[in-house]
Amino acid sequence: MTETARVHQPLTAGRRITILGATGSVGASTLDLIAHLRKGQPDAYEIEALTGFQNTIVLARCARAAGAKLAVIGEPEKYRELKDALAGTGIEAAAGPDALLEAAARPADWVMAAIVGTAGLRPAMAALRPGTTLALANKECLVSAGDVFMRAVAEAGVQLLPVDSEHNAIFQVFEEPNRSAVDRLILTASGGPFRLWDRERMAKATPEQAVAHPNWSMGAKISVDSATLMNKGLELIEAHYLFDMPAERLEVLIHPQSVIHSLVAYVDGSVLAQLGTPDMRTPIAFALGYPERIAAPAERLDLVRIGQLTFEAPDFQRFPCLGLAVAALKQGRGTPTILNAANEVAVGAFLERRIGFGAIAGLVEATLMAAERAGLTGKPGSLVDVLERDRWARETAGTMLTEGRTP
Ligand code: NAD
Ligand code: MG
């Protein structure tokens, strides 16, 4: 009785928040959640810094609405534009890669890492400061720099909370004291927009068709990754580093309704899962409230209305990117760094209509083979090593593209 009657002081009071990649899809969900929470508790959060890449209008709008102290745009030449857009607000403006790092390193209690791609790696590393909680959406950080990143997290004593919905689900049902009794982690995947398409039809898919995800509304890159199933491959690698699980204990399960966000199977036969509607505000709220639970405005799950949950095995023939990622995970060392960089180039080229959907896997595979030949798949020992390999893989994939040597 006394326990329940206890006045409850939310852990969230007056917390300083920074959002890296505030102008993107996860950034928008984070800002929306915070705006919602502020209705009940206006001074619960202070927004230290928001960052964007090119869109000063959206960044300035977000910074004004959230009352941010600092807004940083990645493109240095956009400084004037941002400064003008923030005139009279008292919000500090800055631009360029170093300003992004400074924003990330500014003292904050909670930092959302939601930049897309390896571009977010250095900012996420800069945010690793004692006392900070890092909410990690940017999976490419872990794929590209897994060991280096996790070592830096441990050294800084940072609380790392996964925001990617599958990893957030696993985190919620992973019994750390029973780690040795974990049999498998099962990552669910919707199957993407081409789940039922044959290879010939898929090869001609347009960017518009690829980004039309059946269940989730997301940025362009992750949407294409979801269509190739590379996203699930990247997530297997992400899970390997986050939960320290070997490749043999990681599985993919196609679940078109995206209700079960992932599962943990234990040796006693129990399988624990986390369920919810496909709304990123739920995993973000989990990371923001942790270790408590806070209310999020996501639609409530209505299982009667959904009626049926179905499951399928992934098809490695039609989705070769998944196989490439699994092989990179098993090979380990520097291979995921190359896979990730080549995939970013391939997806970018597909979105620019320079290659077809069917050529994405081929370009990634060709880059991996070139890296093997060049002896560049050894384990990167430092961030510098990772960035060097990332640069090499981008350059190599880029050259194959311009020379028309894509398979
Ligand atoms: P998005 O494209 O909508 O947003 C990306 C953000 O990164 C934007 O703010 C953009 O301005 C910024 N950015 C892009 N390039 C940059 C650069 N070179 N330098 C600095 N900033 C840059 O992407 P998103 O869908 O919000 O995804 C962000 C990350 O979260 C990705 O790693 C993605 O895999 C992961 N994620 C997203 C979702 C989702 O629902 N969208 C779910 C799980 C994980
Ligand atoms: Mg995910």
Side-chain angles (χ1 to χ4, degrees):
M1 194 63 200
T2 44
E3 269 299 292
T4 46
R6 190 162 50 104
V7 178
H8 189 65
Q9 179 66 43
L11 282 170
T12 47
R15 287 178 92 197
R16 294 162 304 170
I17 308 279
T18 286
I19 305 173
L20 309 171
T23 56
S25 165
V26 172
S29 294
T30 310
L31 284 167
D32 183 77
L33 174 69
I34 288 171
H36 170 82
L37 294 168
R38 276 174 159 176
K39 283 183 201 149
Q41 225 185 332
D43 54 1
Y45 305 96
E46 287 171 31
I47 306 296
E48 278 297 324
L50 299 182
T51 80
F53 183 38
Q54 290 172 313
N55 197 330
T56 51
I57 306 299
V58 174
L59 179 62
R61 185 174 4 97
C62 292
R64 281 169 184 262
K69 292 183 194 151
L70 167 69
V72 180
I73 195 85
E75 287 277 12
E77 58 275 23
K78 297 268 179 171
Y79 175 72
R80 198 69 254 164
E81 214 176 285
L82 180 64
K83 184 98 183 137
D84 290 347
L86 291 172
T89 61
I91 301 169
E92 198 187 327
D98 290 340
L100 280 180
L101 297 182
E102 280 163 33
R106 217 166 144 123
D109 300 302
W110 192 88
V111 177
M112 164 58 79
I115 291 174
V116 61
T118 334
L121 177 56
R122 289 177 71 224
M125 296 277 285
L128 300 176
R129 297 166 52 98
T132 299
T133 293
L134 186 74
L136 185 68
N138 178 205
K139 69 192 79 188
E140 294 91 349
C141 272
L142 277 178
V143 176
S144 186
D147 282 323
V148 169
F149 191 81
M150 291 307 282
R151 209 184 316 134
V153 167
E155 278 166 11
V158 159
Q159 171 80 65
L160 180 67
L161 296 172
V163 169
D164 206 351
S165 59
E166 297 75 7
H167 308 75
N168 185 269
I170 291 169
F171 186 88
Q172 293 197 38
V173 293
F174 191 104
E175 296 175 6
E176 189 57 48
N178 290 321
R179 158 174 287 281
S180 60
V182 172
D183 184 43
R184 284 165 304 141
L185 306 185
I186 305 164
L187 279 78
T188 53
S190 70
F194 306 146
R195 181 172 65 91
L196 302 172
W197 289 32
D198 61 38
R199 253 187 120 145
E200 290 66 41
R201 190 174 169 212
M202 237 192 280
K204 297 191 205 94
T206 63
E208 290 72 22
Q209 289 168 321
V211 300
H213 196 279
N215 304 336
W216 298 90
S217 154
M218 310 181 286
K221 194 257 174 184
I222 183 175
S223 297
V224 175
D225 285 345
S226 300
T228 59
L229 288 199
M230 180 61 94
N231 183 51
K232 215 44 57 177
L234 300 179
E235 291 184 354
L236 287 172
I237 301 171
E238 183 186 11
H240 163 72
Y241 288 114
L242 277 174
F243 302 106
D244 194 16
M245 280 283 150
E248 315 80 73
R249 293 188 184 276
L250 301 171
E251 272 178 20
V252 172
L253 176 68
I254 305 295
H255 165 45
Q257 295 80 18
S258 298
V259 167
I260 298 180
H261 296 314
S262 278
L263 314 94
V264 178
Y266 291 88
V267 289
D268 62 3
S270 297
V271 181
L272 304 193
Q274 184 261 1
L275 288 71
T277 50
D279 186 328
M280 285 305 289
R281 291 174 302 181
T282 296
I284 296 168
F286 177 88
L288 190 57
Y290 185 80
E292 299 192 357
R293 296 242 179 215
I294 55 178
E299 193 191 329
R300 294 295 174 251
L301 181 62
D302 182 347
L303 285 172
V304 172
R305 189 172 54 77
I306 294 165
Q308 279 193 334
L309 301 182
T310 59
F311 307 95
E312 297 160 18
D315 183 342
F316 286 83
Q317 301 301 319
R318 282 186 304 130
F319 298 97
C321 282
L322 183 58
L324 290 173
V326 170
L329 167 64
K330 287 187 176 152
Q331 202 171 336
R333 299 178 288 121
T335 314
T337 313
I338 307 288
L339 172 96
N340 179 70
N343 181 57
E344 285 191 33
V345 173
V347 171
F350 167 67
L351 286 169
E352 290 167 8
R353 297 175 209 276
R354 294 174 66 197
I355 59 171
F357 186 81
I360 295 175
L363 183 56
V364 174
E365 188 173 18
T367 311
L368 283 165
M369 281 158 61
E372 193 75 59
R373 283 195 300 274
L376 281 169
T377 52
K379 189 171 172 164
S382 64
L383 180 60
V384 173
D385 264 8
V386 170
L387 294 173
E388 172 53 29
R389 276 155 220 231
D390 177 81
R391 190 199 54 74
W392 181 91
R394 280 166 201 278
E395 212 173 273
T396 304
T399 307
M400 289 185 202
L401 268 175
T402 40
E403 293 176 359
R405 284 195 279 126
T406 52

